[in-house]
């Protein structure tokens, strides 16, 4: 089991309003499964993805990631798990305008301590898979929205 949640709850509070974003969510995702999370605006999709991506914590319930209970994991433990196990493709892609396509894809590998030769191979392979190898020296503002999205996918992979 890659992801398993049991009764996840998340409540956002302001001085005047309480909003229950996650209400006892149970979810299981096996290795190799493809999952789509859909629903109307405001139903908790982003909150759920933030908790599953270990960018936020739930208020209650259990979250197991790759068999380990991460429900109460420290921020540094969650950061380590994200660093080595997860890739994110954000809605606005979060590409760094000052970096080339190649450098945007390479950056998480640098942070991950991957050796230069292996980085070169992995970046080249990822860009070719996304049919973006010919744009490696371009910058995000020189790309269409779809091309930026492919770069973000290459980086996440």
């Amino acid at each position: 089991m890659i992801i398993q949640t049991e009764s996840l709850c998340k409540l956002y509070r302001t001085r005047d309003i309480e909003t229950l974003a996650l209400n006892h969510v149970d979810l299981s995702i096996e290795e190799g499964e493809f999952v789509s999370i859909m629903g109307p605006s405001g139903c908790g999709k982003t909150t759920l993805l933030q908790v599953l991506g270990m960018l936020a914590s739930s208020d209650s319930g259990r979250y197991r990631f790759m068999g380990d209970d991460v429900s109460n994991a420290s921020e540094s433990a969650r950061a380590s798990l994200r660093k080595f196990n997860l890739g994110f493709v954000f809605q606005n892609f979060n590409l760094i305008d000052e970096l080339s396509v190649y450098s945007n894809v390479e950056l998480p590998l640098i942070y991950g301590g991957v050796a230069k030769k292996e980085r070169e191979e992995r970046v080249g392979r990822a860009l070719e898979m996304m049919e973006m190898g010919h744009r490696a020296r371009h910058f995000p503002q020189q790309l269409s929205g779809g091309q930026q999205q492919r770069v973000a996918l290459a980086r996440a992979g």
Side-chain angles (χ1 to χ4, degrees):
M1 188 81 53
I2 299 295
I3 289 175
Q4 183 177 21
T5 69
E6 299 168 12
S7 202
L8 278 186
C9 294
K10 179 72 174 178
L11 182 66
Y12 291 105
R13 290 182 181 96
T14 64
R15 200 174 74 179
D16 301 323
I17 300 172
E18 287 189 350
T19 303
L20 185 60
L22 300 178
N23 188 10
H24 300 280
V25 175
D26 294 324
L27 175 68
S28 294
I29 301 174
E30 299 280 348
E31 185 173 351
E33 279 189 301
F34 180 84
V35 176
S36 177
I37 298 173
M38 303 181 329
S41 180
C43 73
K45 300 179 300 289
T46 298
T47 299
L48 178 61
L49 291 173
Q50 287 174 340
V51 171
L52 295 179
M54 293 178 270
L55 296 169
S57 297
S58 62
D59 293 324
S60 63
R62 289 271 176 230
Y63 175 24
R64 294 186 188 283
F65 180 75
M66 297 176 62
D68 294 325
D69 189 340
V70 296
S71 307
N72 298 309
S74 68
E75 175 52 37
S76 63
R78 291 193 325 251
S80 181
L81 285 168
R82 281 193 308 269
K83 181 178 178 181
F84 294 107
N85 296 289
L86 297 173
F88 295 94
V89 179
F90 294 95
Q91 190 168 356
N92 63 353
F93 313 130
N94 289 336
L95 298 177
I96 300 171
D97 288 335
E98 295 79 18
L99 296 181
S100 69
V101 163
Y102 183 96
S103 295
N104 266 283
V105 175
E106 182 185 36
L107 190 60
L109 299 173
I110 292 171
Y111 289 142
V114 176
K116 183 175 176 58
K117 183 170 175 49
E118 184 180 348
R119 283 196 320 261
E120 290 172 355
E121 292 170 5
R122 288 172 66 176
V123 171
R125 191 169 51 244
L127 290 175
E128 288 306 318
M129 284 179 59
M130 294 293 124
E131 299 180 0
M132 291 299 297
H134 67 291
R135 297 287 193 150
R137 292 191 171 155
H138 288 80
F139 291 87
Q141 63 270 21
Q142 296 173 306
L143 306 175
S144 71
Q147 290 170 324
Q148 289 181 37
Q149 185 173 40
R150 293 194 317 229
V151 172
L153 288 168
R155 180 184 57 198

